[in-house]
Amino acid sequence: MKLTHIEHIGIAVKNLEEAITFYEEVLGLSCYRVEEVKDQKVKTAFFKVGQTKIELLESTDPNGPIAKFIDKKGEGIHHLAFAVENIDETLKEAAEKGVRLIDTSPRKGAEELEIAFLHPHSTFGVLTEFCEKKSK
Ligand code: ZN
């Protein structure tokens, strides 16, 4: 498998607007995109720091994965996403090496990325995402 860089860091927040204000007014970054990902029951906001993005995630559903995460652990870092060269091969290789997958095949994420998650039980507690940009 070939990981090329940290694509983004996902951060779970209760209130997207308030979090955006912090990132813009305190950290001086600018939000370049807000997008709802229905599949994951989240509204996302993106910032760029070098080639890495910060992805803020607010749940759109009280039973969605981000709402559940915040209930259990509070706001904070939710997942770490690596850009990979071939997501299908990467997933296959991870599975062959005994890693527990949340997604056995890639699905659509924000920003037209193909994404898949590895289970944190197999990754030392870090929810790990692979992503590949298929369309330019
Ligand atoms: Zn992500």
Side-chain angles (χ1 to χ4, degrees), residues 56-103:
L56 302 180
L57 303 147
E58 181 196 271
S59 190
T60 54
D61 181 321
N63 295 312
I66 292 299
K68 284 184 181 156
F69 176 87
I70 290 175
D71 284 348
K72 243 165 81 184
K73 299 189 171 174
E75 294 177 294
I77 292 179
H78 176 259
H79 67 273
L80 182 61
F82 295 105
V84 301
E85 284 189 350
N86 182 328
I87 194 167
D88 298 280
E89 283 299 311
T90 306
L91 276 181
K92 212 176 122 208
E93 194 182 326
E96 281 166 6
K97 289 177 173 168
V99 173
R100 193 165 144 200
L101 307 180
I102 292 177
D103 300 300

Side-chain angles (χ1 to χ4, degrees), residues 7-10 40 46 55 57 78-81 115 117 129 131:
E7 217 283 335
H8 63 271
I9 297 166
Q40 290 173 74
F46 287 94
E55 177 186 42
L57 303 147
H78 176 259
H79 67 273
L80 182 61
I115 65 161
F117 285 95
E129 178 183 351
C131 16

